[in-house]
Amino acid sequence: MELKPLTKAQINCGKVLLKCIARGQYTITYGEIAGLTGIPARAPGHDVGAHIGELSKHCYELGLPLISVMVVQKSTNICGEGFFDLCNELNVHPEYSRKMGAMFDVCMKEVSECTEWGRLADYLKLYIDGLN
C-alpha cells in the first residue's frame, strides 16, 4: 500500500491519542479529539475520522494496532463505521468482518496491550512522556 505523508492535523491526532495511551486512557470521543486538535468532528473528507483513518494506515505499515479504534462515538462508546471499513480494506481480522462488536473488542485489546507505541511517537517525531 502506498501511503501519503501525514499532515500536521494527522500528526496532531497521533499526539493526542499517544498522550491518552501514555496515561492509560484507551478511548476518546470524536468530539473530544476534535476539541483538542481543532479538526471538525464532521466535515466530509476532512473530519477527525478521515485523519485518524490515515494515521491508522501508517500504524498498520509499522506493524502496530490500528490506533483509530480508540476514537468512539459518545452515544455508543464504540468507534464509527469508517473504522470497520478500514479493517476490511486492510484485511485486519477478516474473521470478524461482519461482527462489528467483536472486531472493536479485538482491536481495542490490541491497542491496550501494545507496548510498542514509542515506535509511533518516534515515527511522528514526537516526544510523549511515558512512551519514549
Side-chain angles (χ1 to χ4, degrees), residues 12-84:
N12 285 340
C13 287
K15 184 176 185 178
V16 168
L17 294 174
L18 289 171
K19 282 182 173 184
C20 288
I21 289 170
R23 58 178 185 264
Q25 174 189 340
Y26 295 101
T27 61
I28 185 170
T29 66
Y30 286 93
E32 288 169 329
I33 196 169
L36 290 169
T37 60
I39 299 166
R42 304 237 184 269
H46 300 287
D47 60 358
V48 166
H51 290 302
I52 61 172
E54 201 57 42
L55 179 63
S56 267
K57 290 178 184 177
H58 286 257
C59 289
Y60 178 81
E61 287 297 312
L62 290 168
L64 295 168
L66 303 183
I67 199 169
S68 56
V69 73
M70 294 174 59
V71 185
V72 298
Q73 297 171 354
K74 188 176 182 179
S75 60
T76 63
N77 211 34
I78 190 169
C79 48
E81 242 181 80
F83 175 77
F84 302 104

Side-chain angles (χ1 to χ4, degrees), residues 1-12 50-59 61 123-125:
M1 161 180 28
E2 184 154 340
L3 295 175
K4 300 174 190 168
L6 289 171
T7 65
K8 185 177 177 185
Q10 292 159 351
I11 292 168
N12 285 340
H51 290 302
I52 61 172
E54 201 57 42
L55 179 63
S56 267
K57 290 178 184 177
H58 286 257
C59 289
E61 287 297 312
Y123 178 76
L124 299 176
K125 296 178 176 54

